[in-house]
């Protein structure tokens, strides 16, 4: 028995119409185009989904290759700058003893001596003592000159030197006498200036130097103010006033 052919929906709709019309062709090939479009869409979506995975895999392999081929050299990170330590005090020189040479004094007096003959000796009695000769003795003296050695400068002592009135009085003095340099104001320079100086046995300030500065006139201003400070209470070692080196940070900060 011959199998009966089932007409499609398009053929039924366009049975009595012009099949050359564009709508028939579109409806006839609609399923085919839909299938092709779905395949293309699935391919595009799959590519979008797979792209990150593929990219990550490629990047990972590239990193592994670069790690194998590229040689790196580790450098030590620079250390933070620290303020330089104060210079060690010079060793006390030994007491220099000098001897002054005094030339011997030669006098104009002369001593005359005569040689007695054998006849003279025989004519004179044996009890006669020979005449004494007058001799002048010149004593030479050695003069010793002692030169006082400079006093030792200490960095650490039992009693540190202090500003009269304590640290609070010192801070008030610096605030009252410090003038912020105009150049530093214009450039916005701020920071700490480390100054070193020696407190003598009488409390006076000497040998003022800048250990680490910030420039723009701040270093000179710090030295000027330190030199204008009144006498300190000197430091002591075993109860005796000594020369002590003191380091003082001075902070410059714009308000």
């Amino acid at each position: 028995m011959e199998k009966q052919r089932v007409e499609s929906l398009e053929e039924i709709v366009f049975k009595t119409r012009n099949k050359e019309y564009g709508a028939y062709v579109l409806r006839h090939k609609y399923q085919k185009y839909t299938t092709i479009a779905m395949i293309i869409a699935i391919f595009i979506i799959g590519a979008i989904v797979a792209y990150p995975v593929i990219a990550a895999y490629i990047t990972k392999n590239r990193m592994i290759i670069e790690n194998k081929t590229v040689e790196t050299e580790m450098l030590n990170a620079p250390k933070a700058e620290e303020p330089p330590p104060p210079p060690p005090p010079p060793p006390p020189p030994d007491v220099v003893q000098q001897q002054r040479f005094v030339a011997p004094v030669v006098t104009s007096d002369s001593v005359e001596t005569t040689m007695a003959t054998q006849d003279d000796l025989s004519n004179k009695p044996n009890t006669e003592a020979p005449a004494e000769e007058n001799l002048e003795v010149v004593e030479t003296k050695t003069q010793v000159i002692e030169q006082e050695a400079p006093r030792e400068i200490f960095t650490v002592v039992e009693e540190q030197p202090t500003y009269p009135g304590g640290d609070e009085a010192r801070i008030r003095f610096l605030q009252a006498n410090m003038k912020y340099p105009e150049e530093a104001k214009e450039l916005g320079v701020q920071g700490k200036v480390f100054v070193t100086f020696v407190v003598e046995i009488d409390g006076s300030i000497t040998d003022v130097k800048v250990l680490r500065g910030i420039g723009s006139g701040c270093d000179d201003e710090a030295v000027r103010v330190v030199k204008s400070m009144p006498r300190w209470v000197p430091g002591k070692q075993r109860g005796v006033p000594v020369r002590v080196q003191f380091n003082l940070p001075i902070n410059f900060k714009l308000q």
Side-chain angles (χ1 to χ4, degrees):
M1 183 177 180
E2 184 179 357
K3 187 177 180 180
Q4 188 178 0
R5 178 174 177 272
V6 178
E7 295 181 352
S8 62
L9 181 61
E10 291 82 7
E11 292 178 356
I12 295 173
V13 172
F14 288 93
K15 188 174 184 180
T16 58
R17 299 181 183 181
N18 185 10
K19 293 183 179 180
E20 299 298 330
Y21 186 63
Y24 174 78
V25 177
L26 292 175
R27 292 177 64 91
H28 184 70
K29 297 183 178 181
Y30 173 77
Q31 187 174 2
K32 178 180 179 181
Y33 288 160
T34 302
T35 304
I36 295 173
M38 290 181 62
I39 294 172
I40 294 173
I42 292 171
F43 177 77
I44 293 173
I45 293 172
I48 293 173
V49 173
Y51 175 76
V53 179
I54 296 173
Y57 178 77
I58 294 174
T59 304
K60 182 178 180 181
N61 290 339
R62 185 180 300 171
M63 290 176 63
I64 294 173
I65 294 173
E66 289 179 354
N67 290 334
K68 291 181 179 180
T69 57
V70 178
E71 296 181 358
T72 58
E73 182 179 359
M74 299 299 294
L75 299 177
N76 295 328
K79 298 181 179 179
E81 295 185 359
E82 299 180 355
D94 298 333
V95 177
V96 179
Q97 295 185 353
Q98 299 180 352
Q99 294 183 350
R100 178 179 296 176
F101 176 76
V102 180
V105 178
V106 180
T107 62
S108 60
D109 299 335
S110 62
V111 179
E112 295 181 358
T113 60
T114 58
M115 181 68 68
T117 63
Q118 186 66 28
D119 295 335
D120 295 336
L121 293 176
S122 61
N123 294 329
K124 291 182 180 181
N126 293 333
T127 58
E128 184 180 356
E132 294 182 358
E133 297 179 353
N134 295 327
L135 300 178
E136 183 179 355
V137 179
V138 179
E139 181 181 0
T140 59
K141 297 181 179 181
T142 303
Q143 185 177 2
V144 179
I145 301 175
E146 294 185 358
Q147 183 179 0
E148 184 180 359
R151 296 179 181 271
E152 181 182 359
I153 299 177
F154 292 83
T155 55
V156 179
V157 291
E158 296 174 354
E159 297 182 24
Q160 288 288 340
T162 57
Y163 184 86
D167 293 340
E168 295 182 358
R170 173 172 54 82
I171 294 172
R172 289 195 299 269
F173 175 84
L174 294 176
Q175 292 175 348
N177 294 273
M178 189 75 66
K179 296 179 181 179
Y180 215 104
E182 293 297 331
E183 181 182 357
K185 287 183 180 180
E186 295 176 359
L187 299 177
V189 176
Q190 301 184 92
K192 288 185 179 181
V193 178
F194 291 86
V195 181
T196 180
F197 53 89
V198 176
V199 181
E200 300 291 342
I201 59 175
D202 60 351
S204 60
I205 304 299
T206 61
D207 197 18
V208 182
K209 298 178 183 179
V210 175
L211 288 177
R212 188 178 69 182
I214 57 178
S216 302
C218 296
D219 302 348
D220 297 335
E221 179 64 15
V223 172
R224 183 193 68 82
V225 173
V226 170
K227 288 183 177 180
S228 66
M229 287 191 297
R231 293 179 183 268
W232 285 40
V233 178
K236 293 182 179 180
Q237 182 71 8
R238 297 179 181 177
V240 179
V242 292
R243 305 173 70 200
V244 182
Q245 186 173 19
F246 195 89
N247 298 332
L248 178 66
I250 299 178
N251 190 21
F252 285 84
K253 186 177 182 180
L254 293 171
Q255 299 295 334

